[in-house]
Amino acid sequence: MPMDICDDEMVRVVLHMASDVANFGCIPIFVTTSPRVPSEGIEPHVDTETSFRANMSGPDNDEEVLPRTISLQQYYSPIHDNYDNIDDNGVTLQDVGATVFPITTSLEQRYSPYHNNNFRDNDDFHNETEGDNVCAEPSNNMRGGTRFNNDGDDGGAGPSNVPSFQHEDECEDNTPVNNRGNRPIPSMVRSRRRIDPLTSVAPTLPSNMVAPSFVSSCDSDDISVGKLFAEKNEFILQLRKVAFRDKFDFKIARSTTTRFETHCCSESCKWRIRATRCSNEQNVPWVVKRIDNVHTCHNEVLVDGRHQVRSRVVGHIIAEKYIQDKRIFTPNDIRADMQQEYGVQLTYQQAYRAREVGLEIVRGNPAELYNLLPKYSHVLTTANEGTVTHLEQDGDGNFLYYFVALGSSIKGFMQYIRPVIAVDGTHLKGLYRGSMFVATCLDGNNQLYPLAIGIMDSENNDAWEWFMMKLHGVIGDRPGLVIISDRCTAIRRAVLKVFHNATHGVCFYHVKGNIKSQFRMSKALWDQFEPAFINAAKAYGHEEFKRQLEGLWMIHSGAADYLENNVGTCNWARSQFEGRRYNILTTNIAESVNAFMREPRKFPVTHLVDHFRKTLQQWFYDRKIVAESMTTRLTTWADEIVTERRTIAERMIVRPVSPHRFQVIGGGLKEGLVDLQKRTCSCRVFQLDQLVCAHAIAACLTQRVDFINLCSDFYTIESLAMAYAQPVEPVGDVADWEVPDEIQEMQVYPPVEAPPPGRRKELRIPSAGENVDRRTVRCGRCHELGHNRKRCKNPIASTRS
């Protein structure tokens, strides 16, 4: 119950309790004061109630203000009902200095309850099992920088200004005395006894009391008395981080299921920490009970391999560097930062392992995140209308395939995007490897428009067939659909099997690479063959294509025969293609998606998919704003092309053939025959690109026809804005997900194939015929290029005289 302080005896008791902050913690006192009035007039009466710590300074000697009414509420500390936890130390009013001590005390502040006193260590001499009965002498070389808050203790050893005694009867008169003038201790204090500090960790406070902040769990890097930790490993990790930061080392003296003690690695140092919990049950937290936070050892120079230089500790320190998905923070960057900020030299292996720990902290465990896929898929489809996800597992619940297509992309593609899809696969760089399949389009402004992605255990026939089946279930048999890929037989087989009405085309860039790797032409011969092949692939007219193909036969007949009979001209040449490819002749757009997913391909599977969603979320927002701000009728990219063609058309001569057909000559181009009603031209640019050619623009200018209306709707700003009309919604925090029980119970295990040992490869193997920038070798013997010292055969002039 609250106590009223009404005489000097009670004042001495309170001041004694205030002097031993380590045992009593915060003592709230509510004081009502009235100012001293020198004259005998009407006494002004001011009542103020102030809550403060009892270890604050006493009244000023020059102007003393005596308390009028003092009420001491039941104080609170991490120990429940610890009125009996008082050291044998008597204190009077003269013992209180004029210094007001801060509420939060750290090692840097060198706290002592008396002014200008050095820190002293007083072990618990009433409980012999608590530790050795030693007292640290004052030291001038105390180490600073370790931010430990010492606001209270559990009745064990702590900072005190009292020498240690083995028993109370060690004094000659058997009367306990304090250390200031041998004044006797009040009997009320002397009769107190110690109680077990582990009886309660979180006592129930009276209704009019508020628990101090030092007993609650906080996010600070400091460790304070009363701070809670869910696990012992969490407490040890936090302790190691503080020790790493402040450059000291410690040893674990005792570690059980309910008690943890550690001390400085120096035997002469009295620095120590103790944490306990009242039960070894799972949900019972650990609480810091004792901190002797002053190092009395010398500042020994710690070697680079001290205990705290651990990959796990460094990984927790650098984890925040990887919060941004595209942040590149290499092991060498970690080594440089640790050297600059902490003066610690790490090996490359230590830095690499620390990087892996930091990535796992931010992105989660790769194996566990497979199990999050069903829940993520449910939340994603709920937040984004029309989104389609599929998860395939084997008979044992192991991951096989995953497919996702956002509803915003599906809706935009079906109505406002050209029906040409480029597909490609690339390897993943995570722990379980695998492959990522992408299906990408181009919008009316010639920008990437990702449609779907798939995560596969590997790239094979079954995986591509499964991916194409899920893609067909999303887009169906859209008229005029074209699917372009490299010459992978698995892709071609899957397209022909699943998409019965679609046309499959081949990327001419990959065909060029195959020719280069198979026929091994000389550089001079290849410089003639390559431009002729590119012109043949990009040609619109049949006659132009035949002329370029004849040139290929003259340059290299074997390569020309390979293109015409093995690959097939209908697969790589635009003029010979059965469908309409528009200006999409390669799989470069799919390769571009792989490029911007280069770093995310190292992520665990769920983070990889969510990065894809976040990228589309940003793109859809930005591009819709850009589309709505355009002032032209066509998109910026299409308008630039049409404007350039109009400049040529203004120099052309138009001769009418019929009301809708016109002969157009001049302008430095081949003669063209335009049919405005059918929207065709003999140059075939008009019908293949669905953009008016220079011949058609010249005919429209003569007939005063709006040639913009003859362009496809895919290139209008209205279609561009509608393609990005439906925003991509976020999935929110994992803790806020609402998932049905049947999905919550689903278990997804990692792929069956175990991760291979060693460091994971991040650079892909170049394709056949692909140009690779190789470093030039210089001989260290003759200093010429093209060979090394071992293979050098050049004579070296003798240096002998």
Side-chain angles (χ1 to χ4, degrees), residues 319-332:
E320 60 181 8
K321 302 285 187 181
Y322 297 102
I323 294 178
Q324 296 181 359
D325 290 343
K326 295 185 178 180
R327 176 69 183 272
I328 299 176
F329 196 59
T330 64
N332 284 328

Side-chain angles (χ1 to χ4, degrees), residues 33 51 55 93 163 208 218 271 286 311 386 403 549 570 579 650 676 778:
T33 63
S51 178
N55 58 6
L93 287 173
N208 59 345
C218 60
W271 178 94
W286 288 77
S311 301
F403 175 90
L549 186 60
C570 61
E650 291 175 350
L676 296 180
R778 182 182 295 274

Side-chain angles (χ1 to χ4, degrees), residues 623-644:
R623 293 175 181 179
K624 182 181 180 182
I625 295 177
V626 172
E628 293 175 347
S629 63
M630 291 181 181
T631 56
T632 57
R633 295 167 59 187
L634 299 179
T635 63
T636 303
W637 173 79
D639 187 72
E640 291 177 356
I641 296 177
V642 172
T643 301
E644 183 180 353

Side-chain angles (χ1 to χ4, degrees), residues 208-505:
N208 59 345
M209 294 292 291
V210 179
S213 60
F214 67 85
V215 298
S216 61
S217 179
C218 60
D219 295 331
S220 173
D221 287 339
D222 302 329
I223 299 178
S224 59
V225 172
K227 186 171 181 179
L228 304 178
F229 294 90
E231 300 289 343
K232 180 168 64 175
N233 291 336
E234 178 186 350
F235 167 67
I236 297 175
L237 176 63
Q238 191 72 13
L239 184 60
R240 293 192 186 280
K241 290 169 62 178
V242 175
F244 180 85
R245 178 191 62 195
D246 298 326
K247 299 180 178 62
F248 71 92
D249 206 351
F250 63 88
K251 294 181 179 179
I252 298 176
R254 183 178 181 183
S255 179
T256 65
T257 57
T258 58
R259 192 179 186 88
F260 178 85
E261 296 178 358
T262 183
H263 57 78
C264 182
C265 62
S266 176
E267 296 180 358
S268 61
C269 184
K270 304 306 176 184
W271 178 94
R272 66 192 64 186
I273 289 181
R274 183 171 74 235
T276 60
R277 64 173 178 173
C278 60
S279 173
N280 58 2
E281 296 180 0
Q282 183 177 3
N283 296 328
V284 178
W286 288 77
V287 59
V288 179
K289 290 292 186 179
R290 167 182 175 173
I291 300 178
D292 295 347
N293 56 2
V294 173
H295 285 271
T296 58
C297 55
H298 295 277
N299 285 324
E300 297 98 347
V301 178
L302 299 178
V303 297
D304 293 338
R306 61 181 183 270
H307 292 164
Q308 313 318 322
V309 183
R310 301 189 178 188
S311 301
R312 182 169 179 82
V313 177
V314 179
H316 278 77
I317 294 175
I318 65 172
E320 60 181 8
K321 302 285 187 181
Y322 297 102
I323 294 178
Q324 296 181 359
D325 290 343
K326 295 185 178 180
R327 176 69 183 272
I328 299 176
F329 196 59
T330 64
N332 284 328
D333 295 333
I334 298 174
R335 298 177 64 192
D337 281 8
M338 293 297 105
Q339 176 69 31
Q340 182 177 2
E341 296 181 13
Y342 300 98
V344 176
Q345 295 182 356
L346 301 177
T347 65
Y348 187 88
Q349 288 76 12
Q350 287 177 322
Y352 180 82
R353 290 193 295 267
R355 175 178 174 269
E356 295 296 310
V357 173
L359 290 174
E360 183 173 342
I361 293 172
V362 175
R363 299 168 185 170
N365 184 277
E368 296 175 355
L369 287 177
Y370 279 97
N371 198 36
L372 194 63
L373 271 178
K375 309 172 186 61
Y376 177 85
S377 301
H378 172 78
V379 177
L380 182 66
T381 54
T382 303
N384 296 271
E385 182 181 359
T387 298
V388 177
T389 62
H390 294 282
L391 176 63
E392 187 76 12
Q393 300 174 256
D394 62 10
D396 298 329
N398 297 299
F399 174 86
L400 285 179
Y401 314 131
Y402 183 75
F403 175 90
V404 57
L406 295 178
S408 304
S409 299
I410 298 173
K411 182 178 179 180
F413 171 79
M414 295 303 294
Q415 301 182 26
Y416 309 107
I417 300 297
R418 288 169 286 177
V420 180
I421 302 175
V423 296
D424 191 25
T426 184
H427 67 283
L428 298 179
K429 308 174 187 179
L431 179 63
Y432 291 93
R433 309 293 178 88
S435 299
M436 181 180 71
F437 296 169
V438 296
T440 317
C441 317
L442 284 178
D443 63 11
N445 202 29
N446 209 41
Q447 301 173 118
L448 296 178
Y449 195 88
L451 180 59
I453 64 169
I455 309 298
M456 309 294 169
D457 60 345
S458 62
E459 186 173 1
N460 50 53
N461 295 339
D462 295 336
W464 273 114
E465 182 177 346
W466 186 88
F467 179 79
M468 289 299 173
M469 290 178 59
K470 303 308 176 185
L471 183 63
H472 180 267
V474 169
I475 62 177
D477 293 320
R478 182 178 174 181
L481 181 63
V482 174
I483 298 178
I484 302 175
S485 69
D486 55 17
R487 294 200 65 207
C488 177
T489 56
I491 300 178
R492 179 178 179 83
R493 184 183 298 109
V495 171
L496 297 179
K497 183 177 181 179
V498 177
F499 291 91
H500 302 289
N501 298 326
T503 306
H504 179 257

